[in-house]
Amino acid sequence: MDIQPWIKMANCIFELEKKLPPTDGSPATKRILDKMKNILEANGLQILNPIGEPFSETRTDVEATLTSDKTSKLLITEVLKPVIYTSEDGRKLLVQKAVVLVG
């Protein structure tokens, strides 16, 4: 199975979720996005949004751009692309690093 179209779909779903306001009055839209994520998960993909998580240079699942001169207690402040994992033979494999801003 070619995984690239699924990764593109995961990124599109992530972008749509980011663009929806948190108090969106359309539960139908959220329900459709949840169905789409369930389809991805059924095909072995897991999408993770690391926003708000601590950042250190030892993290291997993100590519970061620093937005401040601070060097301690860095947090992921914005996620441009999510972390995407796939499952293979019971193992979790990283297929896309998150692209993030850190401050």
Side-chain angles (χ1 to χ4, degrees), residues 53-59 62-78 80 98-103:
E53 292 181 7
F55 172 79
S56 72
E57 291 182 18
T58 59
R59 274 191 87 148
V62 298
E63 292 179 8
T65 300
L66 297 177
T67 60
S68 78
D69 295 336
K70 221 169 86 168
T71 57
S72 65
K73 295 188 180 176
L74 294 171
L75 292 177
I76 296 172
T77 57
E78 187 174 347
L80 306 175
V99 177
V100 302
L101 301 179
V102 173

Side-chain angles (χ1 to χ4, degrees), residues 7-51:
I7 293 171
K8 287 180 183 178
M9 179 66 75
N11 284 313
C12 289
I13 292 168
F14 179 79
E15 281 297 313
L16 284 171
E17 284 185 317
K18 274 181 42 175
K19 292 186 184 320
L20 286 176
T23 56
D24 181 43
S26 175
T29 303
K30 179 160 177 21
R31 194 168 44 252
I32 291 167
L33 287 170
D34 287 343
K35 285 181 184 179
M36 293 168 73
K37 286 195 307 190
N38 287 339
I39 292 168
L40 290 176
E41 288 173 7
N43 281 280
L45 288 184
Q46 181 182 15
I47 307 168
L48 296 176
N49 182 351
I51 194 152

